[in-house]
Amino acid sequence: MNDIFLRACARQPVPRTPVWYMRQAGRYQKEYRAIRERHGILEICRSPELTAEVTRLPVERLGVDAAILFSDIMVPLVALGADVRIEEGVGPVVGEPPDPSRLGPLEPDRDVGYVLEAVSMLVRELDVPLIGFAGAPFTMASYLIEGGPSRSFVRTKQVMLEDPGRWDELMGWLTQVALASLRAQVLAGAHAVQLFDSWAGALGPDDYALHVLQYSRRIFEGLADLGVPRIHFGVGTGGLLELMRDAGADVIGLDWRVPLDAAWDRLGAGVAVQGNLDPAALLGPWEGVEEKTLRILTQAEGRMGHVFNLGHGVLPETDPDALRRLTDLVHERTGVGEEAPT
Amino acid sequence: MNDIFLRACARQPVPRTPVWYMRQAGRYQKEYRAIRERHGILEICRSPELTAEVTRLPVERLGVDAAILFSDIMVPLVALGADVRIEEGVGPVVGEPPDPSRLGPLEPDRDVGYVLEAVSMLVRELDVPLIGFAGAPFTMASYLIEGGPSRSFVRTKQVMLEDPGRWDELMGWLTQVALASLRAQVLAGAHAVQLFDSWAGALGPDDYALHVLQYSRRIFEGLADLGVPRIHFGVGTGGLLELMRDAGADVIGLDWRVPLDAAWDRLGAGVAVQGNLDPAALLGPWEGVEEKTLRILTQAEGRMGHVFNLGHGVLPETDPDALRRLTDLVHERTGVGEEAPT
């Protein structure tokens, strides 16, 4: 297996910088859109075969060094009976807010066996590592409280500040769900995990430290014995990076709003970093993609532990050829001794 | 006139930290909602009397040290004939994208005389300084290109990266509009100006430096001869603060995602800072508001040039009494020698 992704996560020497892309399986691919014409998102997530097929789609096409399980952060909650729909292009839409005490804890084998089966299939077939993932408690809570995607997260913050009992019950439940799901994915064979706290950047550092950090830390600590790299990611989290590291992550995912070198200086050499090209760059001319990418590679130079990625998911408007060219660019510019002899 | 706001902007000694709130005139006030039942937003903006009435509403009620003209960043474009509606609770909604060459430059006396008349009325009546404002070119361009509020700003970035000619034409036009509007407001009597680049935080520092900074700089430089404090504000701009300062601002507005002291360290003593309580804090218990506010005041201690504000606009759900209490808290905790003798 090509394990340079895992070695980079462990801050070990690598022959070239590993590359993968958040949402590397998605609407920008005509093959994905063809599958989606016949199957709903949750239908794909519930079928090990379809999940494996969609997960594999980008791996060879893009030349990436890791696969990420195709799923949705809401899948475990839906499996527990939460009233959630996934709308393509919108995201999760929540009806009745779920009652943690009624829905109860996640038992992965019982509730999301199809996910674990997909993981098992994939790790047998893939020749790159498979990344499992879960939604972090804050981000999950925000969907449940707001009823869907939000810009201001006002209702979420209101519960967080006004109703500590309800907040702790909800966050504790979501912590159990995420941890159980991630542990099961790793036990089924996933080689690494990413905790998506996509919207944590809505909080200032004090609120994050007081109301969120403890739950995410419980997840990272609960995974420690498994020995797999633990990635922690959110957008707009420039003010939270040290805290997100302190939650116990091995790799911090950066968005494009922070220069990679300055962010890594703040985080220290004890963690790896992942990122951080603005996915919108790929909608512009190639010269701009190349310039931005080379700047990122220069910023990472001289340190071990850089995983190249976008700063957020691949946009649906992205040309797959541009993504492939980007993978090759990173590999070529960082590769040593990997070329065929001339 | 109570000029402590202006003195703080100039980093001069003040007897207590000045306070004002973005969107201090707005839906959280029952008086405002009553006026809005009878008048549309643009109708208020076009009537000097209504504008003045709404602008004055919060000044005494909240005990703030500055008034901000009630208007909308879209008013000059609407006056030029752009196809824009303002929807309360949503924001600007743009129909046909405006053609800069057809709509032409803003001539404030001809196009927005009612705004200037409101400014003149207000500066005669108020005993605190009046802040004029405009939308910055990037934020305005994003509304025009996206057709309304956005979360990803993908289309805006696409034009920015792919079509430099169209971008420069649009940004140049919006620069002229903002500069002409701000100059006219100051000449009509406004004591300070704020440039709202609310959504600039969608960009990484390189894109901001390459595609946005020059336009905002043209605005700040074009105001320099007027000698009024120039405030530069956006949300999620933690990665852009030095660049936003370099655009020529005297005061940098901070949101709650950056600790005020760390941000000010980065900016240096040569600028004043404004901020930065999370407006959502006011939806929680008073103890939390107090704790966060005292932390901000401590972070500002020992430096001249702090204007207390929220990190974004007052939320519609806010209790006016909590805002008043907040003003008083800041005044009391920072006041020296202003109390009645005991």
Side-chain angles (χ1 to χ4, degrees):
Chain A
M1 185 175 73
N2 163 7
D3 69 345
I4 65 167
F5 163 73
L6 297 175
R7 283 191 270 156
C9 289
R11 289 170 291 117
Q12 294 165 358
V14 283
R16 61 182 190 279
T17 298
V19 179
W20 71 280
Y21 303 114
M22 289 184 276
R23 262 186 216 288
Q24 64 189 17
R27 271 196 291 163
Y28 77 98
Q29 296 169 299
K30 65 174 184 309
E31 301 86 350
Y32 174 84
R33 292 193 302 269
I35 294 169
R36 280 287 286 110
E37 269 172 31
R38 287 174 285 123
H39 308 282
I41 292 179
L42 289 176
E43 193 187 338
I44 297 173
C45 296
R46 286 197 195 103
S47 155
E49 292 73 23
L50 287 172
T51 294
E53 184 184 349
V54 172
T55 300
R56 278 191 311 258
L57 272 182
V59 177
E60 230 179 288
R61 175 75 173 85
L62 302 182
V64 288
D65 301 294
I68 181 158
L69 181 73
F70 182 84
S71 192
D72 189 279
I73 54 173
M74 288 293 163
V75 162
L77 299 192
V78 173
L80 285 172
D83 179 10
V84 180
R85 298 191 316 281
I86 315 294
E87 291 187 11
E88 182 91 59
V90 175
V93 176
V94 182
E96 190 69 20
D99 174 357
S101 67
R102 198 176 60 77
L103 299 186
L106 185 76
E107 296 181 26
D109 290 329
R110 177 197 68 187
D111 302 320
V112 287
Y114 41 83
V115 170
L116 307 178
E117 211 178 307
V119 169
S120 303
M121 285 173 59
L122 279 162
V123 295
R124 281 196 301 272
E125 298 163 359
L126 287 168
D127 58 1
V128 293
L130 179 70
I131 305 168
F133 73 91
F138 175 80
T139 292
M140 299 298 286
S142 81
Y143 283 116
L144 299 181
I145 295 170
E146 308 283 341
S150 170
R151 296 175 76 221
S152 65
F153 300 92
V154 166
R155 278 177 280 196
T156 309
K157 291 182 186 180
Q158 199 159 13
V159 174
M160 181 181 90
L161 297 171
E162 259 192 345
D163 196 341
R166 183 179 161 204
W167 183 252
D168 182 63
E169 186 194 18
L170 184 59
M171 293 289 281
W173 178 57
L174 294 168
T175 297
Q176 188 279 330
V177 170
L179 176 55
S181 168
L182 290 173
R183 282 194 69 87
Q185 291 177 59
V186 173
L187 295 172
H191 303 90
V193 291
Q194 177 157 318
L195 188 68
F196 281 89
D197 211 351
S198 306
W199 312 132
L203 299 174
D206 296 326
D207 278 327
Y208 181 88
L210 214 56
H211 304 292
V212 175
L213 177 58
Q214 59 188 301
Y215 303 99
S216 295
R217 177 179 281 148
R218 222 185 286 165
I219 296 170
F220 286 112
E221 287 179 352
L223 294 163
D225 62 305
L226 299 177
V228 299
R230 297 160 294 176
I231 312 170
H232 200 182
F233 170 77
V235 289
T237 49
L240 304 178
L241 295 177
E242 294 90 343
L243 294 167
M244 291 177 73
R245 173 200 63 201
D246 294 346
D250 306 298
V251 185
I252 295 293
L254 303 173
D255 81 357
W256 62 93
R257 292 174 178 88
V258 286
L260 186 134
D261 49 359
W264 211 343
D265 288 344
R266 282 168 49 197
L267 290 166
V271 287
V273 306
Q274 176 175 285
N276 69 342
L277 182 70
D278 186 347
L282 287 155
L283 308 185
W286 171 252
E287 293 66 36
V289 176
E290 189 170 28
E291 194 189 319
K292 286 186 169 78
T293 302
L294 296 182
R295 193 176 301 126
I296 291 167
L297 297 179
T298 304
Q299 290 171 337
E301 232 167 51
R303 296 189 246 214
M304 283 198 280
H306 179 218
V307 174
F308 187 85
N309 204 320
L310 305 180
H312 204 181
V314 177
L315 294 164
E317 301 86 347
T318 306
D319 176 1
D321 291 335
L323 267 183
R324 172 74 210 209
R325 201 170 168 188
L326 177 58
T327 314
D328 292 343
L329 175 70
V330 175
H331 283 165
E332 281 159 21
R333 292 307 181 104
T334 58
V336 286
E338 285 275 293
E339 312 301 322
T342 52
Chain B
M1 185 176 72
N2 164 5
D3 68 346
I4 64 168
F5 163 74
L6 297 175
R7 282 190 272 157
C9 290
R11 288 170 290 116
Q12 294 165 358
V14 283
R16 63 182 189 278
T17 298
V19 179
W20 72 278
Y21 304 114
M22 290 183 277
R23 261 187 218 286
Q24 63 189 19
R27 272 196 292 163
Y28 77 96
Q29 296 168 298
K30 65 175 184 309
E31 301 85 349
Y32 174 84
R33 293 193 300 271
I35 294 169
R36 281 284 286 110
E37 271 172 29
R38 288 173 282 124
H39 307 283
I41 292 180
L42 289 176
E43 191 187 340
I44 297 173
C45 296
R46 287 198 195 103
S47 153
E49 291 73 22
L50 287 172
T51 295
E53 184 183 348
V54 174
T55 300
R56 277 192 310 257
L57 273 180
V59 177
E60 230 178 289
R61 176 76 174 85
L62 302 182
V64 288
D65 300 294
I68 181 159
L69 181 72
F70 182 85
S71 192
D72 189 280
I73 54 172
M74 288 293 164
V75 162
L77 298 192
V78 173
L80 285 172
D83 179 10
V84 180
R85 299 191 315 281
I86 315 295
E87 289 187 13
E88 183 92 58
V90 176
V93 176
V94 182
E96 189 69 19
D99 174 357
S101 67
R102 197 177 60 76
L103 299 186
L106 185 76
E107 295 181 27
D109 291 329
R110 176 198 68 188
D111 301 320
V112 287
Y114 41 83
V115 171
L116 307 178
E117 209 178 309
V119 170
S120 303
M121 284 172 59
L122 280 161
V123 295
R124 280 197 302 271
E125 298 163 357
L126 288 167
D127 58 0
V128 292
L130 179 70
I131 304 168
F133 72 92
F138 175 80
T139 292
M140 299 298 285
S142 81
Y143 283 116
L144 298 181
I145 295 170
E146 308 283 341
S150 171
R151 296 176 76 221
S152 65
F153 300 93
V154 166
R155 279 177 278 194
T156 309
K157 291 182 186 180
Q158 199 159 13
V159 174
M160 182 182 88
L161 298 172
E162 259 193 343
D163 197 342
R166 183 179 162 204
W167 183 252
D168 183 62
E169 187 194 19
L170 183 59
M171 292 289 280
W173 178 57
L174 295 167
T175 298
Q176 188 279 331
V177 170
L179 176 55
S181 169
L182 290 173
R183 283 193 68 89
Q185 291 176 60
V186 173
L187 294 173
H191 303 91
V193 292
Q194 177 156 321
L195 188 69
F196 282 88
D197 210 353
S198 307
W199 312 132
L203 299 175
D206 296 326
D207 279 328
Y208 181 87
L210 214 56
H211 303 293
V212 175
L213 177 58
Q214 59 188 303
Y215 302 99
S216 295
R217 177 178 282 148
R218 222 184 286 166
I219 295 170
F220 286 112
E221 287 179 351
L223 295 163
D225 62 304
L226 299 177
V228 298
R230 296 160 296 175
I231 312 170
H232 200 182
F233 170 76
V235 289
T237 48
L240 305 178
L241 295 177
E242 294 89 343
L243 294 167
M244 290 177 73
R245 172 200 62 200
D246 293 346
D250 306 298
V251 185
I252 295 293
L254 303 173
D255 81 358
W256 62 92
R257 293 174 177 87
V258 286
L260 186 133
D261 48 359
W264 211 342
D265 288 344
R266 282 168 51 198
L267 289 166
V271 287
V273 307
Q274 177 175 284
N276 68 343
L277 182 71
D278 186 346
L282 288 155
L283 308 185
W286 172 251
E287 294 66 36
V289 177
E290 190 170 28
E291 195 189 319
K292 286 187 168 78
T293 302
L294 296 182
R295 193 176 301 125
I296 291 166
L297 298 179
T298 305
Q299 290 172 335
E301 230 167 52
R303 295 190 247 213
M304 283 197 278
H306 180 218
V307 175
F308 186 86
N309 204 320
L310 306 179
H312 204 179
V314 177
L315 295 164
E317 300 86 348
T318 307
D319 175 1
D321 290 337
L323 267 183
R324 172 74 209 209
R325 202 170 167 187
L326 176 58
T327 315
D328 292 343
L329 175 70
V330 175
H331 283 165
E332 280 158 21
R333 291 306 181 107
T334 59
V336 285
E338 287 275 293
E339 313 300 320
T342 50

PDB file of all heavy atoms in Angstrom, chain A residues 11 15 23 98 110 120 207 217-218 237 242 251 288:
ATOM      1  N   ARG A  11       4.485  12.594  10.792  1.00  0.00           N
ATOM      2  CA  ARG A  11       5.647  13.491  10.645  1.00  0.00           C
ATOM      3  C   ARG A  11       6.940  12.711  10.397  1.00  0.00           C
ATOM      4  O   ARG A  11       7.990  13.052  10.928  1.00  0.00           O
ATOM      5  CB  ARG A  11       5.759  14.415  11.876  1.00  0.00           C
ATOM      6  CG  ARG A  11       4.643  15.481  11.898  1.00  0.00           C
ATOM      7  CD  ARG A  11       4.587  16.227  13.201  1.00  0.00           C
ATOM      8  NE  ARG A  11       4.123  15.371  14.269  1.00  0.00           N
ATOM      9  CZ  ARG A  11       4.812  15.024  15.329  1.00  0.00           C
ATOM     10  NH1 ARG A  11       6.026  15.499  15.505  1.00  0.00           N
ATOM     11  NH2 ARG A  11       4.292  14.211  16.241  1.00  0.00           N
ATOM     12  N   PRO A  15       8.680  10.396   0.454  1.00  0.00           N
ATOM     13  CA  PRO A  15       9.330  10.641  -0.842  1.00  0.00           C
ATOM     14  C   PRO A  15       8.680  11.782  -1.613  1.00  0.00           C
ATOM     15  O   PRO A  15       9.282  12.363  -2.505  1.00  0.00           O
ATOM     16  CB  PRO A  15       9.171   9.310  -1.578  1.00  0.00           C
ATOM     17  CG  PRO A  15       7.990   8.653  -0.942  1.00  0.00           C
ATOM     18  CD  PRO A  15       8.003   9.090   0.499  1.00  0.00           C
ATOM     19  N   ARG A  23     -14.168  16.059  -0.034  1.00  0.00           N
ATOM     20  CA  ARG A  23     -15.205  15.866  -1.069  1.00  0.00           C
ATOM     21  C   ARG A  23     -14.634  15.463  -2.423  1.00  0.00           C
ATOM     22  O   ARG A  23     -15.138  15.887  -3.472  1.00  0.00           O
ATOM     23  CB  ARG A  23     -16.045  17.142  -1.234  1.00  0.00           C
ATOM     24  CG  ARG A  23     -17.334  17.064  -0.465  1.00  0.00           C
ATOM     25  CD  ARG A  23     -18.253  18.232  -0.706  1.00  0.00           C
ATOM     26  NE  ARG A  23     -18.934  18.541   0.535  1.00  0.00           N
ATOM     27  CZ  ARG A  23     -19.905  17.785   1.070  1.00  0.00           C
ATOM     28  NH1 ARG A  23     -20.334  16.720   0.437  1.00  0.00           N
ATOM     29  NH2 ARG A  23     -20.440  18.112   2.220  1.00  0.00           N
ATOM     30  N   PRO A  98     -33.957  16.168  17.509  1.00  0.00           N
ATOM     31  CA  PRO A  98     -33.923  14.852  18.144  1.00  0.00           C
ATOM     32  C   PRO A  98     -33.781  14.944  19.661  1.00  0.00           C
ATOM     33  O   PRO A  98     -33.159  15.856  20.184  1.00  0.00           O
ATOM     34  CB  PRO A  98     -32.684  14.200  17.536  1.00  0.00           C
ATOM     35  CG  PRO A  98     -31.825  15.318  17.077  1.00  0.00           C
ATOM     36  CD  PRO A  98     -32.738  16.460  16.739  1.00  0.00           C
ATOM     37  N   ARG A 110     -25.012  -2.543  15.289  1.00  0.00           N
ATOM     38  CA  ARG A 110     -26.465  -2.606  15.127  1.00  0.00           C
ATOM     39  C   ARG A 110     -26.971  -1.512  14.169  1.00  0.00           C
ATOM     40  O   ARG A 110     -27.814  -1.746  13.323  1.00  0.00           O
ATOM     41  CB  ARG A 110     -27.120  -2.412  16.512  1.00  0.00           C
ATOM     42  CG  ARG A 110     -28.647  -2.371  16.505  1.00  0.00           C
ATOM     43  CD  ARG A 110     -29.198  -1.768  17.801  1.00  0.00           C
ATOM     44  NE  ARG A 110     -28.899  -0.339  17.924  1.00  0.00           N
ATOM     45  CZ  ARG A 110     -29.134   0.400  19.010  1.00  0.00           C
ATOM     46  NH1 ARG A 110     -29.645  -0.166  20.093  1.00  0.00           N
ATOM     47  NH2 ARG A 110     -28.842   1.688  19.033  1.00  0.00           N
ATOM     48  N   SER A 120     -14.733  -2.284   5.424  1.00  0.00           N
ATOM     49  CA  SER A 120     -14.025  -3.561   5.264  1.00  0.00           C
ATOM     50  C   SER A 120     -13.745  -3.868   3.795  1.00  0.00           C
ATOM     51  O   SER A 120     -12.644  -4.282   3.421  1.00  0.00           O
ATOM     52  CB  SER A 120     -14.846  -4.717   5.842  1.00  0.00           C
ATOM     53  OG  SER A 120     -15.138  -4.467   7.184  1.00  0.00           O
ATOM     54  N   ASP A 207     -15.373  30.974  24.040  1.00  0.00           N
ATOM     55  CA  ASP A 207     -16.549  30.105  24.001  1.00  0.00           C
ATOM     56  C   ASP A 207     -16.174  28.700  23.557  1.00  0.00           C
ATOM     57  O   ASP A 207     -16.713  27.715  24.076  1.00  0.00           O
ATOM     58  CB  ASP A 207     -17.624  30.691  23.069  1.00  0.00           C
ATOM     59  CG  ASP A 207     -18.447  31.762  23.766  1.00  0.00           C
ATOM     60  OD1 ASP A 207     -18.655  31.639  24.990  1.00  0.00           O
ATOM     61  OD2 ASP A 207     -18.878  32.719  23.102  1.00  0.00           O
ATOM     62  N   ARG A 217     -12.316  16.837  22.756  1.00  0.00           N
ATOM     63  CA  ARG A 217     -11.166  16.182  23.397  1.00  0.00           C
ATOM     64  C   ARG A 217     -11.514  14.749  23.811  1.00  0.00           C
ATOM     65  O   ARG A 217     -10.705  13.836  23.672  1.00  0.00           O
ATOM     66  CB  ARG A 217     -10.735  16.996  24.622  1.00  0.00           C
ATOM     67  CG  ARG A 217      -9.595  16.342  25.397  1.00  0.00           C
ATOM     68  CD  ARG A 217      -9.174  17.189  26.589  1.00  0.00           C
ATOM     69  NE  ARG A 217      -8.332  18.302  26.185  1.00  0.00           N
ATOM     70  CZ  ARG A 217      -8.298  19.484  26.795  1.00  0.00           C
ATOM     71  NH1 ARG A 217      -9.113  19.730  27.825  1.00  0.00           N
ATOM     72  NH2 ARG A 217      -7.492  20.430  26.379  1.00  0.00           N
ATOM     73  N   ARG A 218     -12.745  14.580  24.298  1.00  0.00           N
ATOM     74  CA  ARG A 218     -13.171  13.238  24.701  1.00  0.00           C
ATOM     75  C   ARG A 218     -13.117  12.274  23.511  1.00  0.00           C
ATOM     76  O   ARG A 218     -12.789  11.100  23.656  1.00  0.00           O
ATOM     77  CB  ARG A 218     -14.604  13.321  25.255  1.00  0.00           C
ATOM     78  CG  ARG A 218     -14.836  12.485  26.489  1.00  0.00           C
ATOM     79  CD  ARG A 218     -16.308  12.527  26.909  1.00  0.00           C
ATOM     80  NE  ARG A 218     -16.712  13.782  27.524  1.00  0.00           N
ATOM     81  CZ  ARG A 218     -17.987  14.154  27.707  1.00  0.00           C
ATOM     82  NH1 ARG A 218     -18.984  13.369  27.303  1.00  0.00           N
ATOM     83  NH2 ARG A 218     -18.280  15.304  28.278  1.00  0.00           N
ATOM     84  N   THR A 237     -11.285  28.821  11.235  1.00  0.00           N
ATOM     85  CA  THR A 237     -10.850  28.496  12.589  1.00  0.00           C
ATOM     86  C   THR A 237      -9.476  29.091  12.920  1.00  0.00           C
ATOM     87  O   THR A 237      -8.806  28.610  13.839  1.00  0.00           O
ATOM     88  CB  THR A 237     -10.792  26.965  12.770  1.00  0.00           C
ATOM     89  OG1 THR A 237     -10.081  26.419  11.662  1.00  0.00           O
ATOM     90  CG2 THR A 237     -12.180  26.364  12.827  1.00  0.00           C
ATOM     91  N   GLU A 242      -4.805  26.603  18.076  1.00  0.00           N
ATOM     92  CA  GLU A 242      -4.103  26.007  19.224  1.00  0.00           C
ATOM     93  C   GLU A 242      -5.075  25.160  20.055  1.00  0.00           C
ATOM     94  O   GLU A 242      -4.714  24.093  20.549  1.00  0.00           O
ATOM     95  CB  GLU A 242      -3.485  27.100  20.103  1.00  0.00           C
ATOM     96  CG  GLU A 242      -2.363  27.895  19.424  1.00  0.00           C
ATOM     97  CD  GLU A 242      -2.863  29.124  18.679  1.00  0.00           C
ATOM     98  OE1 GLU A 242      -4.090  29.200  18.408  1.00  0.00           O
ATOM     99  OE2 GLU A 242      -2.042  30.001  18.356  1.00  0.00           O
ATOM    100  N   VAL A 251      -3.129  15.888  13.481  1.00  0.00           N
ATOM    101  CA  VAL A 251      -3.044  16.671  12.249  1.00  0.00           C
ATOM    102  C   VAL A 251      -4.114  17.762  12.324  1.00  0.00           C
ATOM    103  O   VAL A 251      -5.262  17.471  12.654  1.00  0.00           O
ATOM    104  CB  VAL A 251      -3.326  15.801  10.996  1.00  0.00           C
ATOM    105  CG1 VAL A 251      -3.118  16.610   9.720  1.00  0.00           C
ATOM    106  CG2 VAL A 251      -2.470  14.534  10.995  1.00  0.00           C
ATOM    107  N   GLY A 288      -2.960  30.595 -11.757  1.00  0.00           N
ATOM    108  CA  GLY A 288      -3.256  30.995 -10.377  1.00  0.00           C
ATOM    109  C   GLY A 288      -3.201  29.807  -9.422  1.00  0.00           C
ATOM    110  O   GLY A 288      -2.700  29.920  -8.301  1.00  0.00           O
TER     111      GLY A 288
END
